[in-house]
Structure formats: structure tokens, C-alpha cells
């Protein structure tokens, strides 16, 4: 109930930065709660709190989204509770879609965590979620960050030992191609796509077939005719 009441508390103390920051400080402390349901509830409130802070920026001398909201979301991306992680991923996408956080803050705070989650020695679920999150973030953060930060790791994960990871890569392959453009697609991603199309697990090959059109649209006419048509 405390987590659910944070937004209302912010509205009730409207008027001074000190009071508003006291409520945001409570949010930060509640983020340490040992109960997973409390952390999930808190994360469900985060986008609403961020919208309030954005609409009432005159109350704050600093950027509360950068100082309070985003660090809490980032912390939960590596939470031990699956539901908490999923809720934090959804919250992060809302924050970006609504332009409540700056791209620079995403690069500084979010991207390093996602790359850590995508390491070859990380937990299987973390790698799978990292691929999906990279793919969803790519259109929101744009070509530059995707090309510099996500593309090399995404390409590596296409040959991951775990088929769940390869399947998520295949399912999101077209979206990644669309963001990084023709040159990067043909140079870095197509060799991985050919590899995934020959995967021993039929679910991975099915995912490739489903995104085939989108991948081909990111390639030149010549590559479509001489390579992709035959592969299809």
C-alpha cells in the first residue's frame, strides 16, 4: 500500500522541492524491500511518478528522473525476481517512449547493465532478456547507440550455446536490421542470419522465416537476388 500511495503522496505535498524529494527518497528506500510483490508494485508506479516529475519540473532544481527514477529501474533489471525484472523492463520502455528520460542517461546508466546481462557467463534468463531488451530499445535510442553499443553483443549472442537466446535473436533480427541500416546488416548481421537459418532447433528456423521479409528489406536488391532468394 505504501508503494501504491507514492504518487498520491507526491501530489499531496506539492509545493516545495524538499517535500517532493522526501517522497522520492522514500521510493528509493522502498526499492530495497525484501518482498518481491512490493518491488513489483513500486516498479508499476514508476512511470506515473516520472510523468508527475516531468509535468512538475518547476518543483525540482535537479532532474528527478535522472537522480531517483532511472537508477531504481536500472537496479531492478538485475533483480532476482522474474516478475520484478519484467516490470522494470516495461517501465524502462515507457520512460523512453514518453521521452521522460534523456538518451544520454540511457547510454550512461542502462546500456552498461544490459551489456553485463548479455555476457556469455551470465544467467541464461538474463541473456535471453538482454537480447529482447536490446531489440526493443534499439528503435527508441536510435542508430548511433545501437550500432556502437548493442550491435557487437547482439551479433555474438546469435551463436549462443542456449537455443532460447538464439531464438530471441532470430525473432528480433528484422528489427535490429531496420535500425542499423543496410551497410551494417550486410556486413555484420547477414552472416549471423545465415547461421540461424541453419539452426538445429526448428523454432529458431521458424523465427528466421517469420522475419525474413523485414531482413530482406534492409538489404540491397543485389543481395536479395543473389543470396536471400536462394536461402528463402
Amino acid at each position: 500500500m505504501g508503494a501504491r500511495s507514492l504518487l498520491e503522496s507526491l501530489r499531496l505535498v506539492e509545493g516545495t522541492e524538499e517535500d517532493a524529494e522526501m517522497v522520492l527518497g522514500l521510493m528509493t528506500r522502498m526499492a530495497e524491500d525484501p518482498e518481491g510483490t512490493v518491488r513489483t508494485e513500486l516498479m508499476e508506479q514508476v512511470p506515473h511518478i516520472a510523468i508527475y516529475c516531468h509535468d512538475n519540473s518547476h518543483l525540482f532544481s535537479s532532474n528527478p528522473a535522472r537522480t531517483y527514477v532511472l537508477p531504481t529501474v536500472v537496479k531492478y533489471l538485475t533483480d532476482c525476481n522474474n516478475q520484478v525484472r519484467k516490470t522494470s523492463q516495461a517501465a524502462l520502455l515507457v520512460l523512453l517512449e514518453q521521452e521522460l528520460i534523456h538518451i544520454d542517461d540511457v547510454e550512461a546508466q542502462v546500456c552498461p547493465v544490459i551489456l553485463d546481462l548479455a555476457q556469455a557467463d551470465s544467467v541464461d534468463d538474463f541473456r535471453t532478456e538482454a537480447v529482447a531488451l536490446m531489440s526493443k530499445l534499439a528503435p527508441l535510442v536510435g542508430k548511433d547507440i545501437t550500432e556502437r553499443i548493442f550491435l557487437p553483443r547482439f551479433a555474438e549472442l546469435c551463436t549462443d550455446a542456449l537455443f532460447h537466446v538464439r531464438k530471441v535473436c532470430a525473432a528480433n533480427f528484422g528489427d535490429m536490421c531496420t535500425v542499423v541500416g543496410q551497410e551494417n546488416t550486410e556486413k555484420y548481421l547477414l552472416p549471423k542470419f545465415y547461421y540461424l537459418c541453419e539452426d538445429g532447433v526448428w523454432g529458431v528456423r521458424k523465427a528466421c522465416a517469420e522475419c525474413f521479409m523485414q531482413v530482406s528489406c534492409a538489404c540491397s536488391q543485389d543481395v536479395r537476388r543473389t543470396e536471400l532468394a536462394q536461402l528463402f
Side-chain angles (χ1 to χ4, degrees), residues 42-52 69 90-91 94-95 100:
L42 178 63
M43 197 46 49
E44 287 177 352
Q45 298 302 318
V46 157
H48 305 294
I49 292 170
I51 290 171
Y52 174 87
V69 176
V94 171
L95 294 179
L100 299 170

Side-chain angles (χ1 to χ4, degrees), residues 220-230:
S220 67
Q221 187 68 38
D222 187 53
V223 168
R224 288 188 222 174
R225 186 176 61 252
T226 58
E227 299 180 36
L228 289 175
Q230 184 178 1

Side-chain angles (χ1 to χ4, degrees), residues 11 39 85 125:
R11 288 175 176 149
R39 300 198 302 278
R85 291 199 309 276
D125 283 350

